[in-house]
Amino acid sequence: MNFSKVQQAGTIVSLKDSNDNTIATFAPIKPYQNVVISSPKLKKDASYTLYTGGTSTGNATDGFYHGGANQGGAKLISFQITDMITWLNESGKTTSGNSGSSGKPMRR
């Protein structure tokens, strides 16, 4: 996911499947503009929704929340995974060359 603007540190990002099951919830400790989520729970041809903001009642460890529920977050985008890598921006699914400032994954 590539956001059009830098997001504040601590802003929760949560991914849920079509049955409202949480795949991942985290709050980065630094400002961010890109998010990458990888999980064995993600399935090809399945539908997901990404939320930002709000709070979580789960237990936080290094920014990741375990258990609990997310409350008050805003729905950002719903999408279906059709490829091994699915690129998103705030307007919807996109391609790697149109996902952000460079369109390329950041390497460290």
Side-chain angles (χ1 to χ4, degrees), residues 11 17 26 28 41 54 57 59 62 64 83 88 97-98:
T11 302
D17 66 17
F26 56 100
K41 296 178 182 178
T57 60
N59 295 318
D62 296 327
F64 286 89
D83 295 307
L88 305 170
N98 191 26

Side-chain angles (χ1 to χ4, degrees), residues 1-2 82-83 85-89 91-105:
M1 173 66 192
N2 182 29
T82 55
D83 295 307
I85 298 174
T86 301
W87 299 83
L88 305 170
N89 64 25
S91 299
K93 284 176 61 173
T94 184
T95 62
S96 63
N98 191 26
S99 66
S101 56
S102 70
K104 297 179 182 174

Side-chain angles (χ1 to χ4, degrees), residues 1 10 25 28 30-31 38 41 46 50 52-55 68 71 74 76 81-82 85 88 90 98-99 105:
M1 173 66 192
T25 298
K30 295 182 179 183
S38 177
K41 296 178 182 178
L50 191 67
T52 61
T55 59
Q71 301 168 337
L76 183 63
I81 293 178
T82 55
I85 298 174
L88 305 170
E90 292 166 333
N98 191 26
S99 66

Side-chain angles (χ1 to χ4, degrees), residues 14-25 41 46-51 67-75 77-78:
S14 183
L15 182 65
K16 294 185 177 188
D17 66 17
S18 59
N19 294 320
D20 206 35
N21 296 311
T22 300
I23 304 298
T25 298
K41 296 178 182 178
S47 296
Y48 300 91
T49 302
L50 191 67
Y51 298 85
N70 302 335
Q71 301 168 337
K75 177 180 171 181
I77 186 170
S78 292

